Amino acid sequence: MISRYAFGSMIETDAVLHKPPIRTDRFSKLSVNEASMSLSLHLHEKDVVYGLGENVRGINKRGWLYRSKTVDEPDHSETRNSLYAAHNFILIDTDEPFALFFDYAGIITFDIGFTHLDEMKISLSDWNFDLYLIEGGDKIELVRQFRKLIGKSYIPPKWAFGYGQSRWSYHDADEVRTVVRKHRDAKVPLDMVYLDIDYMDGYKDFTVNEAAFGDLSVFTAEMRRENIHLIPIIDAGIKQENGYRVYEEGLEKGYFCVKEDGSPFIAAVWPGKSVFADIMNPEARAWFGEQYRVLVDKGIEGFWNDMNEPSIFYTEDRLKSVFAEISEMQGENMGVERFWHFQSIVNGLTGNEEDYRCFYHRYKGELIRHDRVHNLFGYFLTRGASEALCGMMPDRRYLLISRTSSIGMHRYSGVWMGDNRSWWSHLLLNMQMLPSLNMIGFLYTGCDLGGLTCDVTEDLMLRWLAMGIFYPLMRNHSAINTRRQEFYEFDLTDAFRSIISLRYRLIPYLYSEYMKAALRDEMMFRPLAFDYPEDEHASTVEDQLMLGRELMIAPVYRQNADGRYVYLPEDMKLLRFRVDGSMEEEVLEKGHHYVKVPLTDVVFFLRRGKMLPLAEAAQHSGAVDFNKLSFIKFGDQNMTYELYDDDGCSVSACDEKHFRIIGD
Ligand code: MIG
C-alpha cells in the first residue's frame, strides 16, 4: 500500500508517474518536527536501512550522514556525504518493513545513526515536499510497489550488453582503429568504443574534430562494419563563443539559465566559459535534446552525458573575489591557520555553493533560484536528450547513460557510477551501489572497470573485470595521465580473453534477467537478505549479491588474496570458469566457506533447482546465438529457464511476449 502525504507545496520533480490522492490524516510513521524541518525515527538494534541509491558506504546505510545533493565529487571515500546523485528512497527493514520516498528537488540530509546510533533524522532545506510511505509485504514487494509508482526503467539495445572500451581520450580515428584491431586480432570480444571530450572541436558539444576523425559518418559506418558502436560524450556546459551555432541559437531563444539581472549565467567548465540550458523550461530541454541530431545523423546511436550535476570549475565573479582576497594577503606574515585558509580559497572555486545560489531558472512564469532545483539538473537535461532521441529514432533503442541522476531519470537512461579510482576498495563500493540503484529503477548501470583515476595494476584489472562481467554496463574506462588499461597493455592476455568471453556467454542470461527486472519492476541485483529474509546472517553480508533468480555473486576484492570467504544462505553449486576454457562444478553446503579463486578464474554460485543458460563464445553481441545454449543445472529434477529474446533494437519489441520457457 502506498500513501502520499503533502507538506507545503512541492516543486514538480516528475519522479512519480501516477500520483495517488493526498492523505488527509497526519503522517505518524516518523515523528515530524516542522520547526526544525526534520523527521526522526528510533532504530532498533537489528533494523537495517537500505537505499539512497548511488552513494558512499555499504549496502546497510546505518552509521553515516548522507546528503542528497548532486556534486562532481571525484573522491568517493568514506568521508564524503554526497556523490553525483540525489536518490531519496530508503527501505527500513524492521519488524514490519516499510519504505519512504521524499519527492523533493532540494537538499536533504539523512542522518542514519550518525549523531545517535539508534536514531535516524531526516532534514530538509525547506518544507515543501511530498512524502510517500510504502507498507505491506516483504522487501522485494515494497520495491515493486515503489517501482510501479515511478514507472518503467529505460531499456538499452542488446548490443549495450557487450563490452565497451573507453579512454579519456582516444584522440583520432586511427587510435580507435588500433583499439578495435587489437581486440579482434586477439579474439577479445568488443561492441563499443567510447569517445571522450577530445573528439569534439574545442570541447564544443555537437561538434567533431574533423582533422582527427575525418567525416564522422564515414568513420561510424566503417566501425559498424566491424560491429562496433561509437559512443561520444556530451557535456552539460555549452561553450560561450560567437559564431558557435548552439550557443547563438540558445541565446537568441532565451534557453539558458540567467543571473538575477536576466543576463546569461556563465561558468567555466571544459570548453572554458560556458552557458547552461534552462532545464526547468520544457522547450529549452527539448531544444538541447534536438542538438543530438547532428550526431544521430552521422550514425551515432549512443551517448554518455557528463558534467551534468552541473559541474562548475569556476565563475568569473568568484574568481574576482578570490584574486581580491589573495592580493590582500600578499606580504602578510601568515600563521598556519591563515595559510590553510589561503590554500582553501583557490580550491573552493570549484563547485562553489555560492555559485549555485546566483543563477535562475524560468519556472511557471517566475524565476526560481537554481539551488532549489539543483538535483533535477542532470535528470531533466538527460530527459530532454532521451525524448528527442525517441523522436529521431522512432522505435529504435539507443544507449544513453548519465553521470548525475535523481529518481525518475531511470525512465530515460542508465547511469555510470562516476569518477572512481583504481582502488581495491572501489571494486567493493561500486558493487554495493548495484542493489540500491536497482531499488529506484536504475538497472542499466556499471562503474568504470579498472578505475578512472590512479594507476591500475594488472591483478586489480582482472579482478574488477571478473566482477564487471555481471554489470549490465560493462565498460573499461580510464583517465588521462594514468596507466593505460586496455587488455593488451598487460601480460595475462589469455585471462582477459577468457573473462571477457565469459561475459558474452552470459549475455542471454543477463539480457533475460534485465528484461524481467525492467518489465516486471524487479531488482536484478539484490542484497542476500531480500531473498533470505529469515536468515539473520544474510542481512550482514555486504560483499555478495543475488543476481537474477539463479545466481549469487561474490567477487574477490582484496589484493594478493588467493580466494575469499563466502557465505551460502542455502546449498549452492559453485561454478568455476578457468582460463584454459574448462569449467568445474562443486556442490557446497549452506554456511561459510573459504573459496580459492586464482587470479585468472571466475567463480560464482548457482541456486538449487535452477539452471543457467550459457551461449557459445562470440566476438560481438550480434553473434551471440540465443538458440544455441548449453545449461548448467543444480539438482536432478527437470528444470526450466525463462529466456527473453527479441530483435534487440526496436522499442516495440520490449514486451512480455518475448519470454519463453526453455528446458528439458
Ligand atoms: O572533469 O571527460 O566522469 O568519465 O573521462 C572530468 C573527461 C570530466 C568526467 C567523467 C569521466 C570523463 C572525464 N569527465
Side-chain angles (χ1 to χ4, degrees), residues 24-43:
T24 46
D25 57 334
R26 215 170 53 86
F27 173 78
S28 57
K29 198 84 188 171
L30 273 63
S31 54
V32 178
N33 186 338
E34 186 174 346
S36 69
M37 295 198 289
S38 67
L39 303 94
S40 54
L41 178 74
H42 174 76
L43 297 173

PDB file of all heavy atoms in Angstrom, residues 24-43:
ATOM      1  N   THR A  24      -5.240  12.744   4.121  1.00  0.00           N
ATOM      2  CA  THR A  24      -5.570  13.929   4.919  1.00  0.00           C
ATOM      3  C   THR A  24      -5.241  13.723   6.392  1.00  0.00           C
ATOM      4  O   THR A  24      -5.180  14.679   7.157  1.00  0.00           O
ATOM      5  CB  THR A  24      -7.068  14.255   4.775  1.00  0.00           C
ATOM      6  OG1 THR A  24      -7.793  13.038   4.928  1.00  0.00           O
ATOM      7  CG2 THR A  24      -7.355  14.856   3.412  1.00  0.00           C
ATOM      8  N   ASP A  25      -5.011  12.469   6.796  1.00  0.00           N
ATOM      9  CA  ASP A  25      -4.644  12.278   8.205  1.00  0.00           C
ATOM     10  C   ASP A  25      -3.172  12.639   8.400  1.00  0.00           C
ATOM     11  O   ASP A  25      -2.445  12.893   7.449  1.00  0.00           O
ATOM     12  CB  ASP A  25      -4.900  10.826   8.625  1.00  0.00           C
ATOM     13  CG  ASP A  25      -4.152   9.842   7.748  1.00  0.00           C
ATOM     14  OD1 ASP A  25      -3.860  10.196   6.577  1.00  0.00           O
ATOM     15  OD2 ASP A  25      -3.853   8.733   8.203  1.00  0.00           O
ATOM     16  N   ARG A  26      -2.742  12.636   9.657  1.00  0.00           N
ATOM     17  CA  ARG A  26      -1.381  13.048   9.957  1.00  0.00           C
ATOM     18  C   ARG A  26      -0.416  11.900   9.668  1.00  0.00           C
ATOM     19  O   ARG A  26      -0.714  10.739   9.919  1.00  0.00           O
ATOM     20  CB  ARG A  26      -1.302  13.425  11.433  1.00  0.00           C
ATOM     21  CG  ARG A  26      -0.359  14.575  11.754  1.00  0.00           C
ATOM     22  CD  ARG A  26      -0.574  15.000  13.207  1.00  0.00           C
ATOM     23  NE  ARG A  26      -0.465  13.856  14.115  1.00  0.00           N
ATOM     24  CZ  ARG A  26       0.687  13.403  14.628  1.00  0.00           C
ATOM     25  NH1 ARG A  26       1.822  13.995  14.341  1.00  0.00           N
ATOM     26  NH2 ARG A  26       0.692  12.355  15.438  1.00  0.00           N
ATOM     27  N   PHE A  27       0.745  12.226   9.160  1.00  0.00           N
ATOM     28  CA  PHE A  27       1.777  11.210   8.947  1.00  0.00           C
ATOM     29  C   PHE A  27       2.410  10.885  10.299  1.00  0.00           C
ATOM     30  O   PHE A  27       2.913  11.769  10.984  1.00  0.00           O
ATOM     31  CB  PHE A  27       2.831  11.749   7.978  1.00  0.00           C
ATOM     32  CG  PHE A  27       4.026  10.844   7.818  1.00  0.00           C
ATOM     33  CD1 PHE A  27       3.956   9.709   7.022  1.00  0.00           C
ATOM     34  CD2 PHE A  27       5.221  11.119   8.480  1.00  0.00           C
ATOM     35  CE1 PHE A  27       5.051   8.876   6.888  1.00  0.00           C
ATOM     36  CE2 PHE A  27       6.321  10.286   8.347  1.00  0.00           C
ATOM     37  CZ  PHE A  27       6.231   9.167   7.542  1.00  0.00           C
ATOM     38  N   SER A  28       2.367   9.605  10.693  1.00  0.00           N
ATOM     39  CA  SER A  28       2.820   9.317  12.056  1.00  0.00           C
ATOM     40  C   SER A  28       3.888   8.227  12.131  1.00  0.00           C
ATOM     41  O   SER A  28       4.303   7.824  13.203  1.00  0.00           O
ATOM     42  CB  SER A  28       1.620   8.899  12.909  1.00  0.00           C
ATOM     43  OG  SER A  28       1.016   7.781  12.296  1.00  0.00           O
ATOM     44  N   LYS A  29       4.325   7.769  10.977  1.00  0.00           N
ATOM     45  CA  LYS A  29       5.324   6.696  10.995  1.00  0.00           C
ATOM     46  C   LYS A  29       6.643   7.195  11.606  1.00  0.00           C
ATOM     47  O   LYS A  29       7.364   6.460  12.266  1.00  0.00           O
ATOM     48  CB  LYS A  29       5.556   6.231   9.545  1.00  0.00           C
ATOM     49  CG  LYS A  29       6.202   4.879   9.434  1.00  0.00           C
ATOM     50  CD  LYS A  29       5.179   3.761   9.522  1.00  0.00           C
ATOM     51  CE  LYS A  29       5.872   2.420   9.617  1.00  0.00           C
ATOM     52  NZ  LYS A  29       4.925   1.341   9.907  1.00  0.00           N
ATOM     53  N   LEU A  30       6.956   8.455  11.336  1.00  0.00           N
ATOM     54  CA  LEU A  30       8.135   9.092  11.915  1.00  0.00           C
ATOM     55  C   LEU A  30       7.632  10.277  12.734  1.00  0.00           C
ATOM     56  O   LEU A  30       6.537  10.773  12.492  1.00  0.00           O
ATOM     57  CB  LEU A  30       9.072   9.619  10.808  1.00  0.00           C
ATOM     58  CG  LEU A  30      10.113   8.660  10.223  1.00  0.00           C
ATOM     59  CD1 LEU A  30       9.454   7.480   9.538  1.00  0.00           C
ATOM     60  CD2 LEU A  30      11.018   9.387   9.241  1.00  0.00           C
ATOM     61  N   SER A  31       8.436  10.739  13.706  1.00  0.00           N
ATOM     62  CA  SER A  31       7.967  11.952  14.372  1.00  0.00           C
ATOM     63  C   SER A  31       8.418  13.168  13.585  1.00  0.00           C
ATOM     64  O   SER A  31       9.575  13.291  13.184  1.00  0.00           O
ATOM     65  CB  SER A  31       8.408  11.994  15.836  1.00  0.00           C
ATOM     66  OG  SER A  31       9.774  11.828  15.924  1.00  0.00           O
ATOM     67  N   VAL A  32       7.460  14.034  13.349  1.00  0.00           N
ATOM     68  CA  VAL A  32       7.658  15.154  12.429  1.00  0.00           C
ATOM     69  C   VAL A  32       7.866  16.430  13.233  1.00  0.00           C
ATOM     70  O   VAL A  32       7.103  16.722  14.145  1.00  0.00           O
ATOM     71  CB  VAL A  32       6.400  15.310  11.533  1.00  0.00           C
ATOM     72  CG1 VAL A  32       6.546  16.501  10.604  1.00  0.00           C
ATOM     73  CG2 VAL A  32       6.162  14.027  10.739  1.00  0.00           C
ATOM     74  N   ASN A  33       8.910  17.147  12.906  1.00  0.00           N
ATOM     75  CA  ASN A  33       9.179  18.405  13.592  1.00  0.00           C
ATOM     76  C   ASN A  33       9.335  19.515  12.565  1.00  0.00           C
ATOM     77  O   ASN A  33      10.412  19.718  12.003  1.00  0.00           O
ATOM     78  CB  ASN A  33      10.450  18.231  14.432  1.00  0.00           C
ATOM     79  CG  ASN A  33      10.729  19.440  15.294  1.00  0.00           C
ATOM     80  OD1 ASN A  33      10.262  20.544  15.002  1.00  0.00           O
ATOM     81  ND2 ASN A  33      11.481  19.224  16.354  1.00  0.00           N
ATOM     82  N   GLU A  34       8.237  20.210  12.339  1.00  0.00           N
ATOM     83  CA  GLU A  34       8.253  21.211  11.278  1.00  0.00           C
ATOM     84  C   GLU A  34       9.176  22.374  11.604  1.00  0.00           C
ATOM     85  O   GLU A  34       9.838  22.920  10.715  1.00  0.00           O
ATOM     86  CB  GLU A  34       6.829  21.718  10.983  1.00  0.00           C
ATOM     87  CG  GLU A  34       6.832  22.647   9.784  1.00  0.00           C
ATOM     88  CD  GLU A  34       5.445  23.087   9.312  1.00  0.00           C
ATOM     89  OE1 GLU A  34       4.447  22.477   9.732  1.00  0.00           O
ATOM     90  OE2 GLU A  34       5.403  24.045   8.521  1.00  0.00           O
ATOM     91  N   ALA A  35       9.261  22.728  12.890  1.00  0.00           N
ATOM     92  CA  ALA A  35      10.106  23.864  13.279  1.00  0.00           C
ATOM     93  C   ALA A  35      11.557  23.635  12.858  1.00  0.00           C
ATOM     94  O   ALA A  35      12.227  24.541  12.371  1.00  0.00           O
ATOM     95  CB  ALA A  35      10.007  24.092  14.775  1.00  0.00           C
ATOM     96  N   SER A  36      12.026  22.402  13.039  1.00  0.00           N
ATOM     97  CA  SER A  36      13.418  22.136  12.645  1.00  0.00           C
ATOM     98  C   SER A  36      13.484  21.496  11.259  1.00  0.00           C
ATOM     99  O   SER A  36      14.538  21.051  10.821  1.00  0.00           O
ATOM    100  CB  SER A  36      14.102  21.229  13.680  1.00  0.00           C
ATOM    101  OG  SER A  36      13.533  19.937  13.622  1.00  0.00           O
ATOM    102  N   MET A  37      12.368  21.448  10.573  1.00  0.00           N
ATOM    103  CA  MET A  37      12.255  20.873   9.229  1.00  0.00           C
ATOM    104  C   MET A  37      12.890  19.486   9.171  1.00  0.00           C
ATOM    105  O   MET A  37      13.763  19.212   8.345  1.00  0.00           O
ATOM    106  CB  MET A  37      12.856  21.813   8.185  1.00  0.00           C
ATOM    107  CG  MET A  37      12.071  23.110   8.096  1.00  0.00           C
ATOM    108  SD  MET A  37      12.367  24.039   6.592  1.00  0.00           S
ATOM    109  CE  MET A  37      14.007  24.623   6.840  1.00  0.00           C
ATOM    110  N   SER A  38      12.459  18.639  10.104  1.00  0.00           N
ATOM    111  CA  SER A  38      13.056  17.303  10.141  1.00  0.00           C
ATOM    112  C   SER A  38      12.042  16.255  10.575  1.00  0.00           C
ATOM    113  O   SER A  38      10.977  16.573  11.114  1.00  0.00           O
ATOM    114  CB  SER A  38      14.265  17.305  11.081  1.00  0.00           C
ATOM    115  OG  SER A  38      13.828  17.513  12.401  1.00  0.00           O
ATOM    116  N   LEU A  39      12.397  15.015  10.309  1.00  0.00           N
ATOM    117  CA  LEU A  39      11.585  13.873  10.728  1.00  0.00           C
ATOM    118  C   LEU A  39      12.537  12.876  11.365  1.00  0.00           C
ATOM    119  O   LEU A  39      13.676  12.719  10.902  1.00  0.00           O
ATOM    120  CB  LEU A  39      10.915  13.201   9.525  1.00  0.00           C
ATOM    121  CG  LEU A  39      10.027  14.068   8.629  1.00  0.00           C
ATOM    122  CD1 LEU A  39      10.820  14.609   7.461  1.00  0.00           C
ATOM    123  CD2 LEU A  39       8.846  13.256   8.123  1.00  0.00           C
ATOM    124  N   SER A  40      12.092  12.208  12.417  1.00  0.00           N
ATOM    125  CA  SER A  40      13.020  11.257  13.028  1.00  0.00           C
ATOM    126  C   SER A  40      12.362   9.952  13.429  1.00  0.00           C
ATOM    127  O   SER A  40      11.138   9.859  13.566  1.00  0.00           O
ATOM    128  CB  SER A  40      13.745  11.902  14.205  1.00  0.00           C
ATOM    129  OG  SER A  40      12.805  12.419  15.086  1.00  0.00           O
ATOM    130  N   LEU A  41      13.202   8.966  13.596  1.00  0.00           N
ATOM    131  CA  LEU A  41      12.737   7.609  13.869  1.00  0.00           C
ATOM    132  C   LEU A  41      13.762   6.893  14.742  1.00  0.00           C
ATOM    133  O   LEU A  41      14.969   6.985  14.504  1.00  0.00           O
ATOM    134  CB  LEU A  41      12.591   6.847  12.543  1.00  0.00           C
ATOM    135  CG  LEU A  41      12.159   5.385  12.632  1.00  0.00           C
ATOM    136  CD1 LEU A  41      10.671   5.299  12.969  1.00  0.00           C
ATOM    137  CD2 LEU A  41      12.434   4.640  11.323  1.00  0.00           C
ATOM    138  N   HIS A  42      13.260   6.185  15.736  1.00  0.00           N
ATOM    139  CA  HIS A  42      14.146   5.373  16.555  1.00  0.00           C
ATOM    140  C   HIS A  42      14.470   4.073  15.808  1.00  0.00           C
ATOM    141  O   HIS A  42      13.581   3.430  15.260  1.00  0.00           O
ATOM    142  CB  HIS A  42      13.458   5.058  17.894  1.00  0.00           C
ATOM    143  CG  HIS A  42      14.241   4.110  18.729  1.00  0.00           C
ATOM    144  ND1 HIS A  42      15.364   4.497  19.430  1.00  0.00           N
ATOM    145  CD2 HIS A  42      14.088   2.783  18.948  1.00  0.00           C
ATOM    146  CE1 HIS A  42      15.863   3.436  20.054  1.00  0.00           C
ATOM    147  NE2 HIS A  42      15.118   2.384  19.782  1.00  0.00           N
ATOM    148  N   LEU A  43      15.730   3.711  15.790  1.00  0.00           N
ATOM    149  CA  LEU A  43      16.128   2.466  15.119  1.00  0.00           C
ATOM    150  C   LEU A  43      16.444   1.399  16.154  1.00  0.00           C
ATOM    151  O   LEU A  43      17.168   1.660  17.116  1.00  0.00           O
ATOM    152  CB  LEU A  43      17.362   2.703  14.240  1.00  0.00           C
ATOM    153  CG  LEU A  43      17.235   3.674  13.063  1.00  0.00           C
ATOM    154  CD1 LEU A  43      18.598   3.907  12.414  1.00  0.00           C
ATOM    155  CD2 LEU A  43      16.239   3.145  12.035  1.00  0.00           C
TER     156      LEU A  43
END
